[in-house]
């Protein structure tokens, strides 16, 4: 159904099979939240769960809770739930640390699986931490980092390539790469393929098994709604478990942590990717985030996310033209994640003017206003209203208001 009026947007929401999933989040009144790709919304069950964990499990039961409240097995439990959302087996995913740290572990592990190949291929415009970590790993292991600059990643692959590590969705533009085709091309030259799924998990129909991807990492605090600084995930395909060797062999990744042995015996498969003690409070908040996806098929999330971003683009085209906005994200839905980015010379104040009206997006250098569409809790009517606010901001040049907040540290 084409949506040309607000009433049609509301009608579409009434038939949305994900409408009940929105109830699993505690969203503030008067806010249209288009930043769930940066920090996901609060799961409705999280405050009570965390209050219980703090006051009872920690406060009363103290160290007994590691067993009794199943803190010790929480990383594997949460990993199993994330696995379903990214098309991996529960035994192929670990939850630990940050995406940056997991990337370090997996880049090193991947290079060790390809000892004779000197090159790591990454993209210059991928999330900066990925490039920083890639450069450091290359230096530490005496490999070369080949940084792509806009060109087709497939063209950069050759028999020297140990691995290709890319984001599925470009954090700036929202462009989506073809994980299946690129992974196949990496395998054709004997290289491994590692995917950063930070802007995919919880929004797209990720199918790591179908794509025969080798490894993946991703954030827990974006679409997965794990809360600020939530632990991240790491995936290693089962066929690589045997040769897997983490560069951070901590006691929590030991086969028997309480043996307190001076020799590190790695835990089975991805269990060795745990380095130190998990951040239990954050981890259990992430468990509530991931639980909001219970019974939700990734394909349904993807379909709705595509429809939301499509509607946003069409409405911006129709209602906001003539004000200097330029679409950066691909128009073709299959090449786009759950995000729409637009360029505007005054993108920063534009985003601030929208935030003042309760429409929260964010800004990325140099001139990008970025809007994320979390399919689990956004409505078609929200998209309609957000574009109406954008139209009003542009029409009245609200972004030129000197009273708008100045640039903060977090944009
Ligand atoms: C694509 C991508 N990779 C990695 C990161 C960094 O994640 P972390 O802060 O967990 O290291 C981010 C953070 O926004 C990201 O967007």
């Amino acid at each position: 159904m084409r949506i040309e009026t607000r009433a049609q947007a509301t009608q579409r929401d009434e038939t949305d099979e994900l409408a009940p999933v929105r109830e699993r989040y505690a969203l503030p009144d008067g806010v249209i939240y288009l930043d769930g790709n940066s920090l996901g919304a609060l799961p409705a069950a999280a405050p009570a769960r965390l209050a219980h964990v703090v006051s009872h499990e920690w406060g009363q039961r103290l160290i007994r809770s590691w067993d009794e409240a199943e803190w010790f097995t929480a990383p594997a439990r949460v990993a199993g739930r994330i696995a379903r959302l990214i098309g991996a087996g529960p035994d192929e995913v670990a939850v630990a640390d940050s995406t940056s740290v997991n990337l370090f572990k997996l880049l090193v592990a991947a290079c060790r699986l390809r000892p004779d190949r000197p090159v790591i291929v990454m993209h210059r415009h991928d999330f900066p931490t990925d490039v920083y970590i890639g450069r450091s790993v290359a230096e530490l292991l005496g490999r070369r980092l080949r940084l792509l600059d806009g060109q087709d990643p497939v063209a950069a692959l050759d028999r020297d390539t140990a691995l290709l590590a890319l984001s599925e969705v470009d954090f700036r533009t929202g462009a989506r790469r073809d994980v299946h085709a690129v992974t196949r091309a990496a395998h054709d030259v004997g290289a491994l393929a590692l995917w950063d799924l930070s802007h995919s998990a919880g929004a797209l129909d990720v199918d790591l098994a179908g794509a025969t991807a080798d490894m993946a990492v991703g954030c827990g605090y974006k679409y997965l709604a794990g809360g600020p600084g939530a632990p991240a995930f790491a995936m290693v395909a089962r066929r690589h478990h045997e040769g897997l060797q983490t560069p951070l062999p901590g006691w929590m990744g030991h086969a028997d942590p309480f043996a307190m042995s001076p020799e590190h015996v790695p835990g089975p498969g991805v269990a060795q990717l745990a380095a130190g003690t998990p951040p239990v409070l954050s981890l259990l908040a992430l468990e509530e985030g991931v639980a909001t996806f219970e019974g939700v098929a990734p394909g349904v999330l993807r379909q709705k996310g595509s429809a939301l971003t499509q509607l946003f683009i069409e409405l911006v085209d129709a209602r906001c033209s003539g004000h200097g906005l330029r679409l950066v994200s691909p128009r073709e839905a299959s090449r786009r994640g759950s995000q729409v980015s637009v360029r505007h010379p005054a993108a920063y104040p534009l985003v601030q003017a929208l935030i003042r009206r309760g429409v929260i997006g964010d800004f990325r250098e140099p001139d990008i206003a970025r809007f994320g569409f979390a399919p689990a809790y956004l409505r078609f009517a929200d998209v309609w209203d957000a574009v109406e606010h954008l139209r009003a901001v542009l029409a009245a040049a609200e972004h030129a208001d000197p009273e708008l907040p100045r640039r903060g540290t977090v944009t």
Side-chain angles (χ1 to χ4, degrees):
M1 179 181 96
R2 241 186 118 72
I3 297 175
E4 283 165 345
T5 64
R6 191 178 192 283
Q8 286 170 341
T10 311
Q11 258 175 27
R12 177 74 187 262
D13 287 324
E14 282 161 9
T15 57
D16 174 16
E17 70 176 286
L18 293 177
V21 176
R22 177 179 165 86
E23 305 305 318
R24 301 176 185 172
Y25 294 88
L27 293 154
D29 290 334
V31 165
I32 298 173
Y33 193 54
L34 305 183
D35 218 2
N37 55 327
S38 208
L39 173 66
L42 173 69
R49 173 90 189 272
L50 289 185
H52 179 76
V53 171
V54 170
S55 63
H56 178 73
E57 295 178 9
W58 178 14
Q60 298 300 312
R61 302 305 298 163
L62 293 161
I63 200 160
R64 291 169 287 189
S65 284
W66 280 104
D67 270 326
E68 213 174 80
E70 300 182 341
W71 290 353
F72 197 73
T73 47
R77 203 166 63 230
V78 178
R81 289 187 146 182
I82 293 175
R84 182 182 75 81
L85 295 171
I86 58 173
D91 60 328
E92 294 178 307
V93 179
V95 167
D97 303 313
S98 61
T99 304
S100 306
V101 173
N102 287 334
L103 188 65
F104 176 79
K105 291 182 265 188
L106 293 195
L107 286 180
V108 172
C111 286
R112 285 173 169 172
L113 290 169
R114 290 288 180 276
D116 303 328
R117 290 177 170 233
V119 173
I120 302 171
V121 177
M122 296 179 80
H123 202 289
R124 186 181 301 282
H125 301 306
D126 266 349
F127 196 78
T129 208
D130 295 28
V131 180
Y132 306 154
I133 301 277
R135 195 172 284 133
S136 171
V137 168
E139 275 171 24
L140 285 168
L141 300 184
R143 313 277 173 121
R144 284 200 312 279
L145 179 64
R146 185 178 292 158
L147 276 183
L148 308 174
D149 206 348
Q151 73 262 45
D152 177 5
V154 171
L157 299 170
D158 57 26
R159 299 259 154 211
D160 281 345
T161 311
L163 90 144
L164 170 69
L166 292 174
S167 286
E168 179 178 19
V169 176
D170 182 306
F171 80 103
R172 267 193 205 89
T173 66
R176 182 184 193 184
R177 295 195 172 101
D178 184 336
V179 172
H180 285 67
V182 175
T183 300
R184 223 178 297 123
H187 290 174
D188 284 349
V189 298
L192 299 174
L194 184 159
W195 292 96
D196 183 335
L197 302 177
S198 294
H199 291 266
S200 311
L204 304 186
D205 48 350
V206 185
D207 178 14
L208 291 177
T212 64
D214 300 286
M215 296 182 178
V217 293
C219 294
Y221 49 75
K222 298 179 186 291
Y223 295 108
L224 295 179
F233 63 86
M235 173 275 181
V236 179
R238 212 168 287 125
R239 63 185 176 280
H240 297 304
H241 287 188
E242 180 126 353
L244 189 66
Q245 203 190 339
T246 175
L248 296 176
W251 74 303
M252 280 286 157
H254 193 284
D256 183 3
F258 288 88
M260 302 289 174
S261 151
E263 301 306 325
H264 190 266
V265 181
V270 293
Q272 68 169 282
L273 295 176
T277 307
V280 172
L281 301 181
S282 286
L283 180 63
L284 299 182
L286 174 61
E287 184 164 37
E288 293 305 329
V290 178
T292 60
F293 294 92
E294 193 60 43
V296 176
V300 174
L301 291 168
R302 169 58 177 162
Q303 254 176 19
K304 182 176 169 195
S306 269
L308 291 168
T309 52
Q310 194 62 33
L311 178 62
F312 184 79
I313 290 172
E314 283 169 12
L315 291 176
V316 169
D317 280 349
R319 305 178 84 84
C320 303
S321 63
H323 291 291
L325 286 182
R326 273 189 306 127
L327 181 69
V328 185
S329 305
R331 279 187 184 277
E332 198 187 313
S334 65
R335 296 186 45 237
R336 193 171 64 230
S338 214
Q339 170 192 329
V340 179
S341 298
V342 291
R343 288 214 139 90
H344 188 275
Y348 186 77
L350 186 68
V351 168
Q352 293 306 313
L354 283 168
I355 292 174
R356 189 164 66 181
R357 286 170 161 268
V359 180
I360 302 183
D362 62 22
F363 165 80
R364 285 295 173 264
E365 289 284 0
D367 56 358
I368 290 182
R370 197 173 72 141
F371 303 102
F373 295 83
Y377 46 84
L378 270 183
R379 298 170 296 200
F380 289 89
D382 294 327
V383 174
W384 182 277
D385 293 342
V387 176
E388 281 306 286
H389 282 293
L390 179 58
R391 190 187 58 73
V393 164
L394 291 165
E398 288 177 22
H399 50 283
D401 181 353
E403 298 291 308
L404 284 172
R406 278 180 214 254
R407 177 109 186 232
T409 314
V410 176
T411 63

